[in-house]
Amino acid sequence: MSLHDQLRAVHENRSQSIPAEAIEVMDRNGRELAASGLAERALGVGAPAPRFTLPAATGQCVALDGLLADGPVVLTFYRGAWCPFCNLALRALQEQHDAITARGARLVAVSPQIPDESLTLAEKEQLAFDVLSDIGSEVAAWFGIAFDLSDELGTLYDQLGFDLKRVNAGHSRTLPLPATFVIDRTGTIRWAFVQTDYTLRAEPADILAALDALD
């Protein structure tokens, strides 16, 4: 089953665990975010990737320049371990980790979670790639994909028990859009997937094809 099909199945079964009123709030806010044009303003193909250094779940700091010294980078942004769509996407990337590294690339995932939360996720999902903490979504903002939840949606997430204030070190309302970038060794974005719809993610097969297309 493709990642898209797995994500769609979770989306279609939301009503089993989330009240209809909550789904209506999520969907309405999703439509408003799509209409904002944020995805269209994000960095895209041909843009230089912003250089960053972020703490990894295991404690050390990881710099984009250091990663690029070894080859291309697949950089994926996700909302957090509380998001089932994020977990599915990370699991699908883990399944293709060997295929990514066989192409000489490094896979890195970034979220606004504190390192302890990222470490718990990495251990639970047995992730073999670096999981980095972008507290406050500062790096996400450099890529043009950070946004603030509306008060209505933020309150709903609190009621659902996501505890974003704790896991995001006080930055409970700022999240990244689901986004994945393939960055070549010169630091140029060569492929980009950016979506306002949190139920959609980059298909691993498309990421591999983008790596195969690099010079």
Side-chain angles (χ1 to χ4, degrees), residues 17-170:
S17 57
I18 301 176
E21 316 85 74
I23 291 176
E24 192 279 327
V25 170
M26 292 177 180
D27 290 350
R28 174 160 38 78
N29 277 266
R31 292 191 295 271
E32 291 172 357
L33 183 58
S36 74
L38 180 61
E40 291 75 21
R41 297 192 298 273
L43 294 185
V45 174
R51 298 308 201 261
F52 62 81
T53 300
L54 291 172
T58 51
Q60 80 275 22
C61 286
V62 175
L64 180 59
D65 279 336
L67 297 171
L68 292 173
D70 296 328
V73 170
V74 176
L75 177 65
T76 190
F77 289 85
Y78 68 101
R79 304 195 302 167
W82 51 271
C83 170
F85 300 94
C86 297
N87 294 331
L88 274 177
L90 292 175
R91 201 172 303 138
L93 288 172
Q94 175 59 38
E95 291 174 357
Q96 296 300 323
H97 183 248
D98 288 347
I100 291 171
T101 57
R103 288 161 169 79
R106 287 283 297 276
L107 172 61
V108 180
V110 176
S111 86
Q113 296 182 131
I114 57 176
D116 281 353
E117 290 293 318
S118 296
L119 179 59
T120 300
L121 172 67
E123 291 175 341
K124 177 184 176 182
E125 300 294 344
Q126 298 183 320
L127 303 180
F129 50 88
D130 285 320
V131 181
L132 309 182
S133 293
D134 179 25
I135 303 299
S137 293
E138 180 179 6
V139 173
W142 295 348
F143 279 83
I145 60 170
F147 71 99
D148 289 334
L149 296 173
S150 69
D151 289 343
E152 177 187 42
L153 189 55
T155 298
L156 174 60
Y157 281 1
D158 289 343
Q159 293 170 348
L160 292 174
F162 294 157
D163 200 7
L164 297 189
K165 185 173 183 179
R166 180 185 66 81
V167 301
N168 292 349

Side-chain angles (χ1 to χ4, degrees), residues 148-198:
D148 289 334
L149 296 173
S150 69
D151 289 343
E152 177 187 42
L153 189 55
T155 298
L156 174 60
Y157 281 1
D158 289 343
Q159 293 170 348
L160 292 174
F162 294 157
D163 200 7
L164 297 189
K165 185 173 183 179
R166 180 185 66 81
V167 301
N168 292 349
H171 299 274
S172 58
R173 299 294 170 89
T174 305
L175 296 176
L177 296 179
T180 300
F181 301 91
V182 172
I183 305 167
D184 69 16
R185 295 191 66 161
T186 72
T188 302
I189 297 172
R190 298 286 297 276
W191 184 85
F193 172 96
V194 180
Q195 263 288 346
T196 55
D197 186 345
Y198 64 89

Side-chain angles (χ1 to χ4, degrees), residues 193-211:
F193 172 96
V194 180
Q195 263 288 346
T196 55
D197 186 345
Y198 64 89
T199 71
L200 300 176
R201 305 300 160 106
E203 195 69 41
D206 294 335
I207 296 171
L208 296 178
L211 290 171

